[in-house]
Amino acid sequence: ASVQVNVPNHCWASFCIDDKWCLLDCTWKSFCAPPFAFFMQHFPLQRRWQLLPDLKTITDFWEMPRYSADFALLGLEIDGPIQSNVSLNLGSQPYCFTLDVPEGLIVRTELCNSEGEEVFWASGASCSFHNIVESSGAGSEDNNGMCKMRIYTSPPYVGDFLLLVLVTSQAEREAGKAPQSALSVKVSCLDTERDNELMKYPLPNASEAF
C-alpha cells in the first residue's frame, strides 16, 4: 500500500471449518486465501485475526513491498528481510533479497524508471538479475518442491526506479501469456562524489528458468 490509513476503512469475515479458521473478503472475491496473502492487503484491528504464526505490527504492514494478489496464490514466499523502499548510493553494492519459488515457475526481473521503461547498463546488460541459491533437487527433504532464488539490482544512474518481479509457468509461457507481476520494490539511487570501480562492471546475466 502507498497511502497510509489510520482508521478502519474496510470489512471482511472469518469462519471456522473443521477446526480451521479461514478468511473471506467478498468485495475482492478473496475466498480462503492463505493468511499471508490476505495480510498483504488487510490489517485487522485485532492482530490475532491475521492468522499468522508470527503476528505483524502496523509498521511491518506499511513497510512491506507492493505484492500482487497472486503472490501467495502462486506459492511464492519471502525468505528473510525485504523493504518496500530502498535507497542506494550510485555504484554501491547491489540490493538483494531472497524468494522461495515453487519449482516449475519462471521468474523474470526488471528495473524500470519513472516512465515505466526498463533500464539497462551502457553495455546493454540488465540492471537486475537473479540466481538460484538452493534448489529442490539438492537432496534436502525440507524444500517441498521450492527453490531459493536471490534477486539483485543496482541502478545505473541517479533517480527513482521500480524493481519488478514477474512470474509465469512454462505452459503459460509457451501459450504466449504475459508474466504476472508478483511484487515490486521502490529503489532510489542517490548521488555520491566518490568514484567507484563497481560502476564499470554491470551485473551479470542469469538464466530465467529452473
Side-chain angles (χ1 to χ4, degrees):
S2 58
V3 178
Q4 294 194 16
V5 178
N6 296 317
V7 295
N9 67 342
H10 188 60
C11 295
W12 59 93
S14 60
F15 57 95
C16 185
I17 300 177
D18 294 331
D19 296 324
K20 181 180 179 180
W21 283 97
C22 301
L23 296 167
L24 169 70
D25 188 338
C26 294
T27 303
W28 300 109
K29 298 180 180 179
S30 181
F31 308 108
C32 292
F36 186 67
F38 224 87
F39 180 71
M40 292 173 189
Q41 305 292 336
H42 301 73
F43 188 87
L45 291 177
Q46 296 180 328
R47 289 200 301 155
R48 64 192 179 99
W49 292 113
Q50 295 172 15
L51 302 183
L52 296 171
D54 298 312
L55 299 182
K56 308 296 184 182
T57 66
I58 189 65
T59 300
D60 295 330
F61 179 77
W62 289 121
E63 290 183 350
M64 289 194 309
R66 293 176 183 147
Y67 298 97
S68 74
D70 293 320
F71 180 88
L73 297 179
L74 290 169
L76 298 165
E77 297 177 6
I78 297 293
D79 183 8
I82 184 172
Q83 300 168 264
S84 59
N85 295 279
V86 178
S87 294
L88 301 174
N89 287 328
L90 184 64
S92 65
Q93 293 290 335
Y95 171 68
C96 69
F97 58 90
T98 304
L99 293 179
D100 288 335
V101 182
E103 186 176 4
L105 288 183
I106 300 170
V107 173
R108 176 184 171 190
T109 60
E110 294 181 3
L111 186 68
C112 298
N113 59 22
S114 56
E115 284 76 40
E117 302 168 333
E118 186 176 5
V119 296
F120 300 89
W121 291 89
S123 65
S126 175
C127 293
S128 63
F129 80 103
H130 50 278
N131 59 15
I132 298 170
V133 294
E134 182 179 321
S135 172
S136 58
S140 172
E141 297 180 356
D142 299 326
N143 285 329
N144 297 320
M146 305 284 280
C147 292
K148 292 191 181 298
M149 181 170 290
R150 193 155 292 150
I151 312 292
Y152 299 85
T153 190
S154 183
Y157 52 83
V158 172
D160 292 326
F161 304 87
L162 198 63
L163 174 63
L164 302 177
V165 178
L166 309 167
V167 180
T168 188
S169 67
Q170 185 63 41
E172 290 173 333
R173 189 179 196 180
E174 292 174 353
K177 184 177 180 180
Q180 304 172 65
S181 175
L183 68 87
S184 61
V185 176
K186 182 181 178 182
V187 181
S188 297
C189 186
L190 309 177
D191 196 4
T192 177
E193 295 181 357
R194 66 184 179 85
D195 292 329
N196 194 315
E197 291 298 316
L198 286 175
M199 292 303 297
K200 298 181 181 179
Y201 301 97
L203 297 173
N205 292 320
S207 173
E208 293 181 354
F210 58 88

